[in-house]
Each structure stands twice: as C-alpha cells, then as structure tokens.
C-alpha cells in the first residue's frame, strides 16, 4: 500500500484499459471507496468506468497530477483558472461538460468544483432564460398556471 | 412519453430475466422459509427478516416504477456470483428499500431522456440527505457484502437509456404483469442464496424452464447471466479478471463441471425477438458498456452505497439532484432566480431550501401585482415565505397595495422583518396600517415616498425599528428627525437623505440614542454646517460609521470636531465635500486611530500632502480617492507604505502616470484596485500590475 508505483486498472467506456498510479486515484473518491474494500486484491482488479471515455480519463489524470497530493484548499476561482491552465483545449469545446460528468461520477471534488464553476460562468453569460435552456438542452416545462408567475 | 417507454423496456427486461433465472432453477424452496416462492404481489422476502423492507420495496414498485424489482434481481445475481449469504440478501434488500423510498411521481414527467427507473432508484438516494446513504451504510457494515443496488440501478439506467435511444415501441399494459413477475422473481432470488451457488459445484445444465433439478442450482456465472441478458462480454478474454471470492468460486465451479464455453452453449438462447434483446444487440458499443458494468457488478461486491450514479449524458447530469445541489451553489441568489425558471426540476430543487435565497430582497412591482387575481397574490406572498425570505420590497405601492398586503399576507406579521417601499404613493394612513400589520418588522426603508409626511412618521414609527432609511421623500425634514429621535430608542442605523434637513434637526438626537445609534448616514444634506456636526459629536459619541457625503458646507473645522470626539469611528465618508483640505486629513490621521475605511471622493482640494498624512494610518484597509484631481505620483509613494491596505481606488485621477502607479505593487495585501478613468494607466501597466499582484482584482 505504501508503494507509490502501484497501478490501478481502469477500463473506460471505449474499452481501453488504463493503468493509473494509485496516488492519483486517491483523489477520486469513487475509486478510493472501491479500493478500500478488502476484497479487491492488488493487481487483478479492473474497475470499469462506463461513462468516462479515454479522452476524459486523460484529462482527469492530468488534473490530478496538477492538483497534487496535498489537500490544499483552493477557492473555486483558483480552481477554475487551474483548469484552463492545465487543460487548455477544454476552452472552446463542449468537453467541459463531459469532464464535469466524469468528475461527478468519479467524485473528484476539486475537478467538480472547477468544472461547475466554469459552467456557472457560462450560464451567467447567457442573456435570457431561453438561452440558458438552450445551452443545456433543458425544456422549460413550467406552466403558466403554476404557483406563481415570474417575479423579479 | 419517452419515460414511459423506458420504463416499459426495463420491466420487460426484468420479466425476461426472471424467466431466465427461473430457467436456471435458482429458486430453492427449502432453503428459505415459507412464502419465498409464492408470487405474491407484495414480494415477500422471507429469507430475511426484512418483510417490512420488502413490503416497502414492493410499495415503491407499484407506486413509482419497476426498478425496485429489477434492482433486487440484479443484486441477487451479483450476490450469487460473489458468494454471500442470506445476510447479503438482507443487506441488499435493506439498501434497496432504503434507496427507494416512495418517490414523487413527478419525476417521471421531468426526466428528459432518462428512465424514471434510474431516477427512482438513484435519486431518492441522493435527494435525501446523507442520512439515507447512511442507512445503507448500516446494512453493509453488518455483512461482508455490501448492497450493490446503486450499481444495478445504474446498470439499468444504462440499458434503459440505450433502450430509449434505440427503441420506441412500448406496451404499457404489460407493466402490471411485469411487476408481478418481478415480485415473484424477487422472492425467488431471495431464496436462492449464494451459499448454494458456492457450495454446490454442480454444473447442472441450465436448460429452459423445463428440466432443472430442483435442489441443485447450477452456479451462475458471469457468462450465464450475461447471456441471459444478451450482453456480450467484450473482447476475447473468456472471463473478465476478477478476484473476488465469489468469482473465483464460480470459476472453479466452471472448471469442475464444464468449460465456460460449454456453459454458454447450453444456456438457452435469449429471445431474439425480445425488444430488449434486439436493442442491445443492435447497439454494440452500448452492449460493451453494459457488459463492462456487468463485470463491475460482478466484481464490485463491496461497492458502497456511496457509489455515485452512473450518469450517461449531460442532460441527465443536469437533472440529477445530487449534482444540482452542488451546482446551484455556484450562483449568487440573484442569478438563481433566473435558474428557478428554467424547468420544473430546477425550480423544485431551488425552492426546497432557503439557503439558496439568502441576501436577496424580493421586490414586487405593485403595478403588476394589481393585475394578478387576488388568490394568486396570496400564493405569491406565501411562496416568498416558503423560500425563506424575511424581507419584502414594494415598488410603486399605493394604499390599496398596502391594504392588500395586510389582507392577503397574514404570514407577514410573523415573518417579514424588513420592508422597503420605493417610489410609492402610499400615504400616512396606508403606511400606518401596513406597519401595524407587520409585527415583526425591524428594518424599514422609505425611498421616494412623497405622500408620507412627518406627521405620518410620528404615527407609524414603532420602537421595534432598529434600522431606518429615509431617502428622497419630499416631506421629510427636521421634524422627521425629531420623530426618529423620539420614537426609536433602539435605533442602530439611520440613513437620511433629505435636502431640507438643517443643523437643528441634529439637535434632536439625545443621549437616549447615544448608546444604540452606531451608523449615521447623512447624504446630500446640503444645509448641514459645522454646527450640525457639533450636535452630532455631542449626542452620539459612539458612532462607528459616519457618512457626510454631499454635505457640501462641511469644512475642516467640522472634521476636526469629528476627529477629536468620535474616537470609535471605523468608517468615514467625506465624499463630495469640496471644502475639505489637507488639514482635515491631518486631523483624521492624528486622532481616528481605529479608522478602517475612508472615502474622499471628489474632494478636489486634497493634495499629496494630505495623502501623506493618510498614509500614516496603519489601521486603514480601504481608501477611496476617486476624482481627487490633485493627487500625483508623489502621493502614490506615500500610499505604498500602507501595508495593510486592501482596497484602493484612484479612479479619475488625471495626474497619475504609469510609472507612478507601478509602484503600487508594494501593496502586497491589496485585494481590489480601481483605476478606471486614469488616463495615465496603460495596458502595459495593467499587465504589470496583474502579474505582480496576483491576488488582487484590478479594475480597469
């Protein structure tokens, strides 16, 4: 357990097997929980990640490396900046949503905070309710005769 | 619509599975007592002492969706593979039941592109606070094998999701039938414990429902289950790599009785005509995922209840309670009000907790309020309380509106602590009635209420009020201050903006207020002179915040009085007082030792000398020198010695240059620096500042 070179096998949804150093996976609460179960022996366990793609996992690994092992309490703005610094090609693409999904599943606190902050900023850039709905593909299903109308 | 289809699919799938499992003869009547095999709709799980939980599970099934039945099936399967005991079943059931507390039927309508099964199965787990997860905790702590319900649920999510994507035809009428089958299956699975599968290495040929030896169920393997569900295990490896006890046992068993390949061949072919089966076959990548999950299910004997739900799509993510609870924390309350209108799901989550709405003042436009029917108004008022608001703002309120609040908003008397009336034509009468009604009110703001007279104030003000703000009300003058001084003994904060208030008004303040009044803001009281200041310092020596913004007759002598007498001042605002010179600053620097915030906007006679005085004040953390047109770079040098400064504004100072401003990097604790309208500030300067003051917000 003290061996930092211990590798954890993760299989992503595109059926690729990744071997990740354990100390990085410790940031992922999901994996950490799984590994803490004594049933798993060291080398044979393959943990599947059915909703994480290889690309996402690579991003996640880069992030975990950037964050480092310490439990530094970074503010969400700082995390967001760190996100854009570590993963520059995330900016223009929609990948940040997938990354958020992956972070949500793997329960990586810091990455979840960074990505949600990013998305929150995006919402704030929306000018109207319709654009918010459009941005996320959500249907505005609040009827007109609902409890109260809009108030502002 | 699509939600129904997904539901139907999963139910059919579970029915199918039940047939398969029956075929494998996994029921074993003699191992568990009584009603285990009776296909009662109540889904008796007699093997465990959890009839209560099983009943609740079945209740959930009937009420929400069939996922509960399906989930338990998967649990059983998993447990079968992983070698547990009755206890594991009970654990599974426990968690199962705990997860699926009766779900709100509304979920079905909300989920976009997601099966209600998923939401039902996983979201209750998440919407309730960790307590529920802790309930699930308890179960695994007792047993070696933790429940795997989240995973199977997620598994079904995956498949259901796929179904939805790929198949549209559903038959709802099978629903009930399927449910019954699931109950039956559940019962049967409960009885088939894994002790059996572990110990009995008999590899009886699993055949279709016809010929299974009853007492000796064959060990189900990953393959067999996968085959039943028509899941293809990816790759060519004959068996996934597990190391769990159960799997090892299963594999040994396999070796004993036949190769996996043989086992697979002997299994009945899954019904190809089954839409579930077809759909899965049709979507190979989906199948791969699913099979991986099946592998995970098999391996993950100890996946804790805390395993997050498997969310496949972003749409699903944005409708997931657990995620949204976090997500909404990234917005200010002001922004959340828009978010609450996006869709029902978001609105429900946001309205559920008052903590999302702190710091927000709901302001109602009375003009539009009048157009609503009365009952709707009542609903609106009540919804404000429901969201945890304690403040109310009314714009354009007339007497009728005030009366309406009194009549339609009974909760206001207990819950409204703060009232703000702006641009309103409310009269004294209306104000009095309103304030009478709001029995818990302690904060009042009147802005632009031109019908309110001083006599009205005499009538309305109650001693409960601790914070009062009067602005831009044409009738407010000295008498009003008199009323305030007389009627409000516990006044803590008083803001007054009235053009006609004279020095005499300030004489009304008596020792009665001297202990309580801490914050006094006299804005744009043009008539105030130094004499008024005399009154202030004598009556209110304990002021901590004083603002004389726009009191243009104020001179250095007045400031001297302030500095000498109001030792406790923490914030002083002398903006727009053009007669203030450097001498004032000297007084301030000498005497106001606790001053933290100093505002000198538009004090055009302040020069570098004055800035030099200020810079000796170590207690200052915020300094505003906007439009102090005589401040030069030399003055900046002085500022740089103020190590505690956190907020600095030099906006609109035309004589500052980039080289001078660059020395500001010495202020290491600076958090906000405002340099708008500084002609001397170049782009390079801003870059330079940002580089050297990384934690500082630089406002261009």
């Amino acid at each position: 357990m003290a061996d930092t070179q211990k590798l954890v096998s993760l299989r992503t949804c595109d059926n690729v097997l990744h071997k990740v150093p354990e100390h990085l996976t410790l940031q992922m609460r999901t994996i950490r929980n799984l590994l803490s179960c004594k049933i798993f022996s060291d080398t044979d366990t393959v943990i599947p990640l059915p909703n994480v793609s290889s690309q996402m996992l690579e991003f996640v690994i880069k992030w975990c490396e950037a964050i480092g092992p310490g439990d530094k309490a970074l503010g969400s703005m700082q995390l967001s900046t760190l996100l854009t610094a570590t993963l520059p090609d995330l900016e223009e693409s929609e990948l940040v949503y997938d990354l958020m999904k992956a972070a949500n599943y793997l329960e990586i606190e810091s990455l979840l905070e960074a990505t949600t902050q990013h998305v929150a900023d995006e919402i704030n850039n929306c000018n109207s309710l319709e654009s918010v709905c459009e941005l996320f593909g959500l249907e505005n299903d609040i009827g007109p005769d609902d409890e109260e109308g809009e108030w502002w | 619509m699509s939600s129904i289809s997904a539901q139907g699919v999963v139910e059919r799938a579970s029915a199918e599975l039940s047939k398969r499992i029956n075929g494998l003869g996994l029921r074993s009547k003699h191992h568990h007592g009584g009603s285990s095999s009776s296909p009662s709709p109540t889904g008796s799980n007699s093997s465990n002492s959890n009839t209560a939980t099983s009943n609740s599970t079945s209740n959930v099934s009937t009420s929400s969706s069939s996922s509960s039945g399906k989930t338990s099936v998967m649990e059983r399967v998993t447990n079968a593979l992983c070698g547990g005991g009755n206890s594991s079943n009970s654990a599974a059931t426990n968690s199962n039941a705990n997860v699926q507390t009766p779900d709100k039927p509304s979920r079905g309508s909300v989920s976009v592109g997601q099966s209600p099964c998923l939401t039902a199965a996983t979201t209750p787990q998440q919407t309730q606070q960790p307590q529920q997860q802790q309930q699930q905790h308890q179960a695994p702590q007792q047993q070696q094998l933790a429940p795997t319900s989240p995973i199977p649920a997620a598994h079904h999510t995956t498949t259901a999701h796929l179904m939805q994507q790929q198949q549209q035809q559903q038959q709802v009428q099978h629903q009930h039938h399927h449910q019954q089958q699931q109950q039956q299956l559940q019962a049967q699975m409960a009885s088939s414990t894994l002790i059996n599968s572990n110990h009995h290495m008999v590899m009886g040929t699993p055949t279709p429902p016809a010929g299974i030896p009853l007492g000796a169920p064959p060990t189900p393997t990953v393959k067999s289950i996968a085959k039943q569900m028509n899941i293809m295990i990816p790759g060519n490896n004959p068996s996934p790599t597990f190391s769990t006890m159960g799997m090892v046992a299963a594999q040994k068993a396999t070796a004993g009785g036949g190769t996996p390949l043989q086992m697979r061949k002997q299994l009945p072919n899954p019904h190809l005509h089954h839409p579930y089966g077809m759909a899965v076959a049709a979507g190979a990548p989906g199948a791969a995922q699913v099979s991986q999950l099946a592998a995970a299910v098999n391996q993950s004997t100890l996946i804790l209840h805390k395993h997050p739900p498997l969310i496949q799509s972003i749409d699903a993510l944005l409708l997931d309670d657990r995620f949204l609870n976090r997500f909404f924390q990234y917005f200010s309350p002001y922004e959340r009000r828009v978010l609450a209108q996006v869709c029902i799901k978001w609105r429900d989550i946001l309205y559920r907790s008052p903590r999302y709405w702190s710091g927000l003042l709901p302001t109602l436009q009375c003009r539009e309020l009048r157009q609503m029917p009365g009952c709707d108004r009542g609903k609106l008022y009540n919804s404000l309380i429901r969201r945890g608001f304690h403040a109310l703002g009314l714009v354009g309120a007339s007497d009728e509106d005030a009366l309406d609040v009194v009549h339609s908003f009974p909760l206001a008397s207990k819950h409204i602590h703060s009232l703000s009336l702006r641009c309103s034509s409310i009269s004294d009468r209306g104000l009095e009635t309103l304030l009478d009604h709001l029995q818990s009110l302690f904060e009042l703001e009147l802005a632009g209420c031109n019908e309110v007279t001083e006599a009205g104030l005499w009538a309305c003000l109650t001693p409960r009020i601790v914070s009062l703000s009067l602005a831009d009300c044409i009738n407010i003058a000295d008498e009003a201050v008199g009323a305030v001084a007389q009627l409000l003994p516990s006044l803590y904060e008083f803001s007054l903006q009235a053009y006609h208030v004279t020095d005499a008004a300030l004489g009304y303040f008596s020792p009665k207020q001297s202990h309580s009044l801490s914050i006094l803001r006299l804005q744009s009281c043009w008539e105030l002179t130094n004499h008024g200041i005399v009154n202030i310092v004598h009556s209110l020596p304990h002021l901590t915040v004083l603002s004389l913004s726009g009191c243009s007759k104020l001179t250095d002598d007045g400031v001297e009085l302030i500095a000498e007498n109001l030792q406790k001042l923490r914030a002083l605002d002398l903006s727009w007082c053009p007669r203030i010179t450097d001498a004032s600053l000297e007084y301030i620097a000498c005497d106001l030792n606790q001053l933290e915030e100093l505002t000198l906007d538009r004090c055009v006679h302040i020069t570098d000398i004055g800035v030099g005085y200020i810079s000796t004040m170590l207690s200052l953390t915020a300094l505003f020198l906007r439009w102090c047109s005589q401040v030069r770079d030399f003055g900046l040098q002085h500022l740089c010695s103020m190590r505690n400064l956190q907020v600095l504004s030099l906006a609109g100072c035309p004589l500052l240059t980039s080289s001078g401003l660059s020395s500001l990097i010495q202020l290491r604790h600076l958090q906000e620096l405002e340099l708008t309208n500084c002609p001397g500030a170049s782009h390079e300067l801003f870059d330079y500042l940002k580089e050297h003051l990384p934690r500082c917000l630089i406002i261009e």
Side-chain angles (χ1 to χ4, degrees):
Chain A
M1 285 306 209
D3 178 15
T4 52
Q5 278 317 299
K6 186 157 139 210
L7 299 174
V8 176
S9 304
L10 305 172
R11 193 198 304 277
T12 51
C13 65
D14 40 7
N15 207 12
V16 177
L17 194 65
H18 301 259
K19 298 234 181 228
V20 180
E22 193 191 4
H23 66 274
L24 289 183
T25 62
L26 288 179
Q27 290 185 34
M28 311 174 197
R29 186 144 58 116
T30 309
I31 311 280
R32 204 166 69 211
N33 284 344
L34 289 176
L35 292 181
S36 67
C37 307
K38 297 204 185 72
I39 287 289
F40 288 104
S41 74
D42 293 8
T43 48
D44 300 352
T45 311
V46 176
I47 299 179
L49 304 175
N51 64 345
V52 181
S53 68
S54 287
Q55 187 188 27
M56 283 303 128
L57 188 62
E58 275 164 26
F59 283 150
V60 165
I61 291 173
K62 262 202 226 162
W63 171 266
C64 294
E65 282 166 354
I67 285 283
D71 211 18
K72 295 182 276 191
L74 293 175
S76 60
M77 289 311 296
Q78 291 161 303
L79 286 174
S80 184
T81 352
L82 185 58
L83 183 69
T84 42
T86 346
L87 305 171
D89 20 309
L90 213 53
E91 263 311 300
E92 315 79 32
S93 61
E94 296 221 326
L95 293 177
V96 67
Y97 295 105
D98 284 322
L99 193 57
M100 188 164 69
K101 194 171 55 133
N104 186 50
Y105 182 71
L106 291 170
E107 292 193 56
I108 308 171
E109 191 81 13
S110 54
L111 183 58
L112 193 56
E113 196 164 337
T115 45
T116 46
Q117 179 66 52
H118 189 101
V119 173
D121 290 338
E122 245 175 87
I123 290 188
N124 281 333
N125 289 336
C126 290
N127 293 328
S128 70
L129 194 59
E130 287 75 28
S131 45
V132 176
C133 290
E134 220 176 87
L135 182 65
F136 295 109
L138 292 168
E139 188 191 319
N140 188 342
D141 48 359
I142 301 183
D145 51 340
D146 244 318
E147 259 208 24
E148 75 260 9
E150 305 174 0
W151 55 268
W152 53 87
Chain B
M1 189 170 72
S2 56
S3 59
I4 296 178
S5 63
Q7 193 173 2
V9 166
V10 175
E11 280 149 5
R12 181 172 294 107
S14 61
E16 198 49 42
L17 180 61
S18 72
K19 285 190 208 157
R20 293 295 101 230
I21 302 252
N22 286 346
L24 284 182
L26 285 179
R27 72 207 124 109
S28 162
K29 291 191 187 120
H30 13 284
H31 287 275
H32 298 283
S35 49
S36 58
S37 57
S38 64
S40 62
T42 54
S44 50
N45 245 339
S46 56
S47 58
N48 324 303
S49 49
N50 299 317
T51 31
T53 53
S54 66
N55 279 339
S56 68
T57 314
S58 61
N59 284 343
V60 175
S61 310
T62 48
S63 70
S64 61
S65 67
S66 58
S67 61
S68 58
K70 185 83 165 136
T71 312
S72 57
V73 163
M74 276 315 295
E75 283 165 17
R76 303 305 182 275
V77 167
T78 308
N79 292 332
L81 298 169
C82 304
N86 301 348
S87 46
S88 68
N89 275 343
S90 74
T93 326
N94 256 335
S95 65
N96 200 14
N98 286 338
V99 167
Q100 291 143 13
T101 51
D103 198 7
K104 305 183 187 66
S106 65
R107 290 220 191 282
S109 62
V110 168
S111 52
V112 176
Q114 185 171 22
S115 75
C117 313
L118 164 67
T119 36
T122 55
T123 46
Q125 171 189 358
Q126 300 139 22
T127 46
Q128 323 304 327
Q129 293 303 324
Q131 292 130 16
Q132 235 186 351
Q133 292 183 347
Q134 283 168 13
Q135 287 174 7
Q136 286 186 321
H137 268 294
Q138 298 157 9
Q141 280 164 10
Q142 300 157 12
Q143 337 296 343
Q144 348 161 348
L145 303 176
T148 58
S149 47
I151 291 300
H155 168 73
H156 296 309
T157 308
T158 323
T159 51
H161 193 69
L162 294 168
M163 294 318 101
Q164 202 174 340
Q165 287 171 351
Q166 297 152 3
Q167 274 273 344
Q168 293 304 322
Q169 32 160 338
Q170 301 310 333
Q171 297 133 32
V172 185
Q173 63 265 26
H174 287 303
Q175 189 168 343
H176 185 59
H177 179 56
H178 289 296
Q179 280 185 357
Q180 285 197 341
Q181 283 191 341
Q182 288 148 35
Q183 305 309 332
Q184 177 177 4
L185 173 61
Q186 192 174 341
Q188 287 157 0
M189 284 307 294
S191 52
S192 76
T193 57
L194 320 168
I195 296 184
N196 269 341
S197 56
N198 265 342
H199 296 319
H200 296 258
M201 305 297 201
V202 177
M203 302 288 29
T205 308
T207 63
I212 300 287
L214 276 185
T219 309
T221 63
V222 180
K223 297 284 173 332
S224 58
I225 302 298
K227 195 63 183 172
Q228 289 166 57
M229 306 186 69
N230 198 21
I231 296 163
M232 293 172 298
I233 293 192
N236 299 323
N237 50 341
S239 63
T241 52
F242 324 111
S243 53
T244 64
M245 288 185 327
M247 279 323 299
V248 168
Q251 284 174 343
K252 280 191 190 151
T254 314
T259 65
L261 198 53
Q262 286 178 2
M263 283 282 303
R264 197 169 4 170
K265 281 185 183 162
Q266 286 155 0
L267 278 176
N269 224 356
H271 303 298
L272 290 177
H273 61 267
H274 192 278
Y276 180 90
M278 281 166 74
V280 175
Q289 289 181 17
V290 161
S291 61
Q292 283 178 6
L293 195 47
V297 163
N298 299 329
Q299 301 176 50
S300 61
T301 60
L302 288 182
I303 289 190
L304 306 174
H305 37 275
K306 269 190 177 174
H307 196 102
L310 189 62
I311 299 175
Q312 285 292 4
S313 73
I314 307 218
D315 296 343
L317 186 69
L318 289 170
L319 290 171
D320 173 55
D321 280 6
R322 190 160 159 262
F323 171 73
L324 286 177
N325 273 322
R326 249 198 103 116
F327 184 60
F328 289 140
Q329 289 173 27
Y330 290 99
F331 295 92
S332 70
Y334 186 73
E335 293 152 353
R336 284 183 207 130
R337 86 208 196 308
V338 175
L339 296 181
Q341 295 167 37
V342 169
C343 63
I344 288 184
K345 176 83 174 188
W346 284 24
R347 187 196 67 180
D348 286 345
I349 293 186
L350 283 170
Y351 280 15
R352 200 179 297 156
S353 165
R355 72 185 155 96
Y356 287 126
W357 305 103
S358 60
L360 203 59
L361 174 73
T363 306
L364 306 177
Q365 300 277 347
C366 291
R367 201 175 355 120
E368 283 151 27
L369 214 58
R370 276 171 230 140
Q371 292 165 11
M372 292 166 68
C375 51
D376 280 356
R377 277 203 292 269
K379 279 195 239 170
L380 172 60
Y381 294 139
N382 291 337
S383 78
L384 295 180
I385 302 298
R386 184 160 68 101
R387 267 176 274 181
F389 285 120
H390 294 288
L392 179 64
L394 296 173
V395 175
S398 66
D399 280 350
E400 290 98 31
D401 300 314
L403 286 178
D404 182 62
V405 170
V406 173
H407 293 314
S408 315
F409 197 0
L411 291 176
S413 47
K414 248 203 326 185
H415 292 274
I416 295 294
H417 299 317
S418 165
L419 176 68
S420 166
L421 294 171
R422 297 187 197 146
C423 305
S424 300
S425 57
I426 194 172
S427 70
D428 293 338
R429 213 51 185 293
L431 186 61
E432 192 178 346
T433 324
L434 188 53
L435 290 185
D436 269 343
H437 176 69
L438 300 175
Q439 289 294 316
S440 313
L441 192 76
F442 55 76
E443 188 177 336
L444 178 64
E445 177 191 353
L446 296 176
C449 300
N450 291 326
E451 302 291 321
V452 175
T453 68
E454 291 163 328
L457 280 187
W458 273 106
C460 304
L461 294 177
T462 78
R464 282 191 311 267
I465 294 180
V466 301
S467 168
L468 178 64
S469 169
L470 299 170
D472 201 20
C473 300
I474 206 168
N475 295 319
I476 302 297
D478 293 352
E479 272 302 307
V481 182
V484 167
Q486 191 75 14
L487 296 174
L488 305 179
S490 359
L491 193 63
Y492 175 78
E493 178 180 1
F494 184 39
S495 301
L496 180 64
Q497 189 248 304
Y499 301 123
H500 306 297
V501 168
T502 67
D503 295 332
L506 296 173
Y508 286 123
F509 285 115
S510 64
K512 233 200 298 189
Q513 269 92 17
S514 67
H515 296 289
S516 58
L517 193 60
S518 266
I519 301 178
L520 179 64
R521 297 193 189 99
L522 299 167
Q523 286 171 311
S524 300
C525 297
W526 300 332
E527 305 290 329
L528 276 190
T529 68
N530 291 337
H531 292 294
I533 304 297
V534 171
N535 286 333
I536 292 176
V537 304
H538 280 153
S539 321
L540 307 167
H542 303 294
L543 283 181
T544 56
V545 176
L546 177 63
S547 168
L548 295 165
S549 171
C551 299
S552 43
K553 293 189 180 172
L554 193 65
T555 69
D556 293 337
D557 294 332
V559 178
E560 186 182 4
L561 282 172
I562 293 172
E564 283 174 358
N565 292 295
L566 299 178
Q567 299 289 324
K568 295 189 187 170
L569 264 190
R570 301 242 282 276
L572 179 62
D573 184 348
L574 296 171
S575 49
W576 294 88
C577 298
R579 299 193 194 177
I580 301 295
T581 69
D582 294 335
S584 298
L585 300 188
E586 188 185 359
Y587 300 137
I588 291 174
C590 283
D591 292 320
L592 293 178
N593 299 319
Q594 294 186 33
L595 200 66
E596 292 166 16
E597 185 177 325
L598 181 60
T599 309
L600 298 166
D601 297 340
R602 289 281 181 187
C603 293
V604 293
H605 289 115
I606 292 184
T607 69
D608 293 339
I609 300 173
V611 175
Y613 291 135
I614 296 295
S615 52
T616 62
M617 298 177 74
L618 296 174
S619 54
L620 261 192
T621 56
L623 178 63
F624 299 95
L625 294 168
R626 298 185 184 101
W627 306 101
C628 293
S629 42
Q630 297 191 45
V631 175
R632 297 179 134 85
D633 291 345
F634 183 59
L636 289 184
Q637 300 296 327
H638 293 302
L639 284 182
C640 294
S641 61
M642 298 176 74
R643 297 297 156 157
N644 291 326
L645 204 59
Q646 291 171 16
V647 179
L648 175 64
S649 175
L650 294 163
C653 297
L655 299 177
L656 300 175
T657 68
S658 278
S659 52
L661 287 168
S662 58
S663 58
L664 288 178
I665 58 168
Q666 296 172 57
L667 298 172
R668 303 310 301 168
H669 292 153
L670 208 58
Q671 290 172 10
E672 266 182 52
L673 176 62
E674 187 185 24
L675 294 174
T676 2
N677 285 319
C678 284
S682 59
H683 271 303
E684 292 82 19
L685 172 73
F686 284 121
D687 291 338
Y688 179 73
L689 289 175
K690 282 177 189 160
E691 190 188 332
H692 289 270
L693 293 174
R695 279 191 224 104
C696 179
L697 172 67
I698 304 201
I699 305 172
E700 297 180 27

